[in-house]
């Protein structure tokens, strides 16, 4: 395209080329290409593509320096830039910095998207920060851009927290599992499932769950609750039942009826009595009797 001069390269073309260079040759090659670009070609798209390259490679120092350069260049940064930084900090376990980025996004009057909230929720949950978690859901409820999908996501996330008891006693710490994916990173996948459930992307839920099952990570009741509740909220009882079967067959952990009772209570407390009843009937088919201590919402 550049050699034949058939058309002028756009800002997005340079961004796409940086992304492709990263995929084929790595972040260092993408960095070299970016630095050799003329000043006029160093657009927001080009900067963002290189930032994504650093974030994917977990090059925190370089990503932070580039983020600083973007601010110094007075670029009109969009939500994607802030999401990239949050994603990076979650992937390297620097969860406290996610909130710092969120606050800067607010100061710059950049509108968050659903993925922004997903990242913030994931970081709060991984930090076992229940108050912070609830505060983020409250922000979502007041967001003027909130749409129907966001409402379902908020409800799902709240149910998930109630059912899986994210905040635990005795100062339990988050530990590495199988030395590859930490529980801190793993919880992000749970919320990615909830995100797609809120958006109605059922095939993506299945894809993510299939990918999770193929890893060496040990599944917990929390993971199963996440997927089951997502299927229930999307009225996919067959898929929910198949996931319960997987859970019952699993050896680590053993099937946890108490977790199912908490999910049942959480559905009732959210006022989703019909969904709760469908779940109760489903579990009865699996020879599991659910008991509730919930106070049903008006």
């Amino acid at each position: 395209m550049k050699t034949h001069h058939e058309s002028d390269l756009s800002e997005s073309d340079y961004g796409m080329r940086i992304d492709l260079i990263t995929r084929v040759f790595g972040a260092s090659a993408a960095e070299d290409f970016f630095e050799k670009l003329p000043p006029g070609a160093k657009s927001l798209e080009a900067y963002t593509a290189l930032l994504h390259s650093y974030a994917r490679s977990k090059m925190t120092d370089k990503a932070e320096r580039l983020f600083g350069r973007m601010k110094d260049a007075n670029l009109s940064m969009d939500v994607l830039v802030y999401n990239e930084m949050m994603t990076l900090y979650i992937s390297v376990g620097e969860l406290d910095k996610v909130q710092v980025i969120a606050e800067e996004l607010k100061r710059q009057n950049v509108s968050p998207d659903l993925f922004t909230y997903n990242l913030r929720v994931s970081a709060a949950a991984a930090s076992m920060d229940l108050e912070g978690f609830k505060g983020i859901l409250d922000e979502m409820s007041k967001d003027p851009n909130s749409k129907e999908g966001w409402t379902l996501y908020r409800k799902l996330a709240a149910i998930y927290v109630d059912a899986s008891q994210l905040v635990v006693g005795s100062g339990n710490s988050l530990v590495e599992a199988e030395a590859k994916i930490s529980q801190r990173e793993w919880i992000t996948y749970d919320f990615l499932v909830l995100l797609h459930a809120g958006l109605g992307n059922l095939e993506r839920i299945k894809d993510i769950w299939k990918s999770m099952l193929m890893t060496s990570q040990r599944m917990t009741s929390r993971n199963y609750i996440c997927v089951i509740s997502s299927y229930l909220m999307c009225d996919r009882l067959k898929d929910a039942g198949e996931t319960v079967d997987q859970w019952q067959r699993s050896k680590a952990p053993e099937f946890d009826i108490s977790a199912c009772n908490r999910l049942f209570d959480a559905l009732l407390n959210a006022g989703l009595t019909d969904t709760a009843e469908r779940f109760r009937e489903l579990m009865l088919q699996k020879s599991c009797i659910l008991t509730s201590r919930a106070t049903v919402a008006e």
Side-chain angles (χ1 to χ4, degrees), residues 71-138:
K71 290 188 285 186
D72 293 340
N74 292 318
L75 295 171
S76 181
M77 294 192 290
D78 57 22
V79 68
L80 180 60
V81 175
Y82 296 95
N83 287 349
E84 287 286 1
M85 292 303 296
M86 290 185 193
T87 301
L88 169 62
Y89 287 135
I90 288 175
S91 71
V92 298
E94 296 185 30
L95 301 177
D96 55 322
K97 292 185 178 180
V98 173
Q99 183 58 27
V100 173
I101 295 296
E103 290 170 359
E104 183 163 346
L105 180 144
K106 291 178 188 176
R107 287 196 300 271
Q108 299 301 323
N109 293 316
V110 176
S111 297
D113 60 15
L114 189 52
F115 192 57
T116 310
Y117 285 115
N118 177 59
L119 292 168
R120 292 182 60 199
V121 160
S122 297
S127 302
M128 302 302 178
D129 180 8
L130 184 58
E131 290 307 311
F133 184 101
K134 290 180 177 178
I136 296 165
L137 294 184
D138 185 57

Side-chain angles (χ1 to χ4, degrees), residues 205-241:
I205 296 172
K206 291 182 179 181
D207 289 343
I208 295 167
W209 180 237
K210 184 178 179 180
S211 297
M212 291 169 72
L213 290 172
M214 290 173 65
T215 68
S216 57
Q217 176 70 284
R218 187 175 77 94
M219 292 292 179
T220 68
S221 59
R222 191 192 72 217
N223 303 128
Y224 286 103
I225 281 173
C226 172
V227 177
I228 292 168
S229 61
S230 295
Y231 282 141
L232 287 172
M233 292 291 286
C234 294
D235 203 25
R236 299 291 292 236
L237 290 183
K238 182 175 182 291
D239 293 314

Side-chain angles (χ1 to χ4, degrees), residues 111-217:
S111 297
D113 60 15
L114 189 52
F115 192 57
T116 310
Y117 285 115
N118 177 59
L119 292 168
R120 292 182 60 199
V121 160
S122 297
S127 302
M128 302 302 178
D129 180 8
L130 184 58
E131 290 307 311
F133 184 101
K134 290 180 177 178
I136 296 165
L137 294 184
D138 185 57
E139 281 185 42
M140 290 181 72
S141 68
K142 297 173 182 176
D143 191 318
N145 297 315
S146 179
K147 295 182 175 65
E148 185 176 347
W150 297 37
T151 303
L152 178 57
Y153 177 75
R154 287 199 308 270
K155 191 168 287 188
L156 270 167
I159 288 170
Y160 173 61
V161 169
D162 288 342
S164 59
Q165 295 184 344
L166 287 177
V167 178
V168 293
S170 67
N172 286 5
S173 60
L174 295 165
V175 297
E176 294 290 324
E178 303 294 338
K180 287 189 177 181
I181 305 174
S182 69
Q183 289 289 348
R184 180 168 288 176
E185 292 174 305
W186 193 244
I187 203 168
T188 307
Y189 289 93
D190 289 338
F191 281 99
L192 195 57
V193 169
L194 297 185
L195 175 65
H196 284 291
L199 294 172
N201 297 335
L202 291 169
E203 290 307 311
R204 290 296 294 131
I205 296 172
K206 291 182 179 181
D207 289 343
I208 295 167
W209 180 237
K210 184 178 179 180
S211 297
M212 291 169 72
L213 290 172
M214 290 173 65
T215 68
S216 57
Q217 176 70 284

